[in-house]
Amino acid sequence: MAAHFGSRLRKGAANTAVAAVAVAAMAASQAPGTAAENGRGVDSQSASDTDAHGTGEDSATGNSLYYTDLPPLNSPVESSAPSAGPTTGTSGTTGDSESGIPATVLDAYQKAAAEIRQSKPGCNLPWELLAAIGKVESGHASGGRVDAEGTTYSKILGPALDGNGFALIKDTDNGLYDGDSTFDRAVGPMQFIPSTWAWAGRDGNGDGVKDPNNVYDAALAAGHYLCRFDRDLSVQSDMNAAVLGYNNSQAYLSTVLSWYDYYRKDAHSIPDGTGTLPSHRSDEGSTPSPTPTATSGSGPAKKPGKSPSGNKPGSGGSSSPGTGSTPAQPSRPTPTPTPTPTDTVDHLTDGGTGELSAMAGDTFGRTVVVKAVTETGKAVPGVRVRFLINGDTDAAFSGGEIVATAVTDSSGKATAPALVAGEKTGDFQVRALVVGRTVSGVDYPATVSERRADTLVRIGDAPPACVPGGEFAGQIVVKATYQGAVADGVAATATLVKAADNPSEAGSGPYFKDAAGNAVRTLTGLRTDASGLLSLPKLYADDTAGTFLLRMTTAGGATVTVELQVEAATPSPTPSSSPSSDGAS
């Protein structure tokens, strides 16, 4: 382990001895004694970062290489709400550059965690864990070198898993993902091997494709992978098992947990392509790797004299499938990056959204539309926009997410998914922000009102009748509609009123019974069913005869009044007697 720890000495230490002690202490304090994944024990004293002699096929990465850099020794002060999300600017704390996460990559981590909170709420997946794994696996997609869709500009490939210092995993995808038809390689920002991606892959950006080179797809797949086996990642032993399942190494676990803890204390968004690149790999000493140019692979550079198969991601962009060889590239100056569409955005403006309002349970009739423009007002296509629902609400975008992203079209407009109201009424906000830029966003107020009905009719025509002291036969049933459609879940009130022009509660006449059997003449908390129907409880009559009125009202103002008759039963007529006749004259 000395070589591994020695490769992780960092800026900020007074001398190498102090740094080595601090790093070792951090790793020791976070690594559990033992852990298990799929019933496989893990030795905390393993002499290697990977199970080089195992198959590695039951891990996400094939136990491939990873970056060993640790966070700065002087970690930032923990914020009051570490899990609330990153700030949008620098915090000025020590190690601030290390806590910056490229905006599109950060968006992918948070979007994946938000989606999994909906689909697997018991997993309690923190986005900071995805960020920690993404940092260790690929340096956040090589510092955020991704396009507006979240796809890396060049493939991030691990070494050929040929059994030479790594697991032996022969080709499973015919080179589809990794370009190697002989052996598998870890692929993409989260370094999935093709055999794992075949079942674990997800479509995180909604384009209909599961691409391990896309950070949205890869982050969502990683989240589901970590949440297998009904794990609860708020339990440390479950989190340890999940991380070890990703790469079966105690040193890997310690490194990931170090970054996880660091990001929980401080993280912020930085422009894409400006992330800090890691310098050390799990197979090498402390020799730094140069920052890749726009035309090179997106992983760290090769060690002199080392086979390309020993490289961390990025070796395979120009290699011949199955050979692992890469022609030597001449030294050249780093070209000036061409401004991306995102770089040209000055601000967002409304794209024709309109009023956002809906009844509880309904889909909003309008969607949020924003437009990305330059300083001169020119539309900017190809820009990723992030939409976030804020406030005390259970409203969500279609699919149940509270975070969504969309790319501006040729007119510079990005449209959020449809908004769906929950059952909680009140106001909330939808915020639109440019991913990758800290320009002003747009906030849209939205309102959810209670369910309403504009029409209420009684089912049946015969007036309910009863004798004094008796009970009315059958039940009174009404149906509610709104704009001609069934109005389900609408709140209603039923009251025995004094008169047609006096809605006060009557003091005598028909009544309902409460749970204790007491007479009540007003019922609240009633709701129509899925068919818009409302069946009232049984009605009873006291000793007062006459005509009475039952009035029902709903949210939205729909009203129906039903006459109730309480009359004494009419006695049957007595047959009249006729004089007898004996027929005498």
Side-chain angles (χ1 to χ4, degrees), residues 47-108:
S48 171
D49 284 353
T50 63
D51 60 344
H53 303 292
T55 66
E57 291 182 272
D58 55 352
S59 74
T61 65
N63 298 328
S64 190
L65 297 179
Y66 59 92
Y67 288 113
T68 61
D69 303 56
L70 285 174
L73 289 172
N74 294 324
S75 294
V77 178
E78 186 167 1
S79 65
S80 59
S83 297
T87 60
T88 56
T90 58
S91 61
T93 55
T94 301
D96 182 67
S97 62
E98 291 291 345
S99 62
I101 300 175
T104 298
V105 183
L106 174 60
D107 186 56

Side-chain angles (χ1 to χ4, degrees), residues 244-521:
L244 286 167
Y246 212 88
N247 190 313
N248 187 3
S249 159
Q250 285 291 326
Y252 178 87
L253 172 65
S254 296
T255 306
V256 168
L257 293 182
S258 296
W259 282 107
Y260 167 67
D261 185 60
Y262 185 74
Y263 287 139
R264 289 181 67 243
K265 294 174 181 176
D266 182 54
H268 63 271
S269 174
I270 59 175
D272 291 341
T274 65
T276 301
L277 292 176
S279 301
H280 309 107
R281 302 190 312 259
S282 56
D283 70 329
E284 65 179 13
S286 57
T287 303
S289 299
T291 301
T293 67
T295 56
S296 70
S298 54
K302 309 174 185 65
K303 287 183 66 179
K306 190 171 184 67
S307 165
S309 65
N311 288 326
K312 183 62 183 171
S315 63
S318 59
S319 63
S320 301
T323 66
S325 62
T326 303
Q329 297 293 328
S331 177
R332 71 183 76 182
T334 301
T336 301
T338 301
T340 66
T342 301
D343 295 330
T344 67
V345 176
D346 180 73
H347 63 278
L348 291 177
T349 186
D350 179 49
T353 299
E355 181 182 358
L356 296 174
S357 62
M359 289 192 299
D362 286 354
T363 299
F364 283 70
R366 306 296 294 266
T367 54
V368 178
V369 183
V370 296
K371 186 175 182 179
V373 295
T374 65
E375 188 175 5
T376 60
K378 182 180 179 181
V380 185
V383 175
R384 183 167 286 275
V385 176
R386 179 185 182 193
F387 301 94
L388 174 66
I389 296 174
N390 290 317
D392 184 17
T393 181
D394 56 356
F397 294 114
S398 56
E401 301 177 5
I402 63 171
V403 179
T405 53
V407 177
T408 56
D409 59 18
S410 58
S411 65
K413 292 184 178 181
T415 303
L419 268 174
V420 181
E423 294 303 319
K424 184 174 291 185
T425 60
D427 299 329
F428 65 97
Q429 199 174 65
V430 180
R431 171 166 292 181
L433 296 168
V434 175
V435 175
R437 290 293 302 278
T438 54
V439 299
S440 298
V442 183
D443 291 328
Y444 292 92
T447 300
V448 177
S449 59
E450 61 181 331
R451 297 171 185 256
R452 301 189 299 275
D454 55 17
T455 304
L456 198 61
V457 296
R458 182 183 167 223
I459 305 298
D461 298 323
C466 180
V467 298
E471 61 182 52
F472 290 84
Q475 286 181 294
I476 296 175
V477 181
V478 296
K479 182 173 183 177
T481 58
Y482 183 75
Q483 296 181 353
V486 167
D488 61 315
V490 177
T493 300
T495 304
L496 280 304
V497 299
K498 289 182 177 180
D501 57 355
N502 185 353
S504 300
E505 182 182 290
S508 61
Y511 61 91
F512 300 103
K513 289 183 179 180
D514 63 14
N518 300 315
V520 293
R521 292 186 170 87

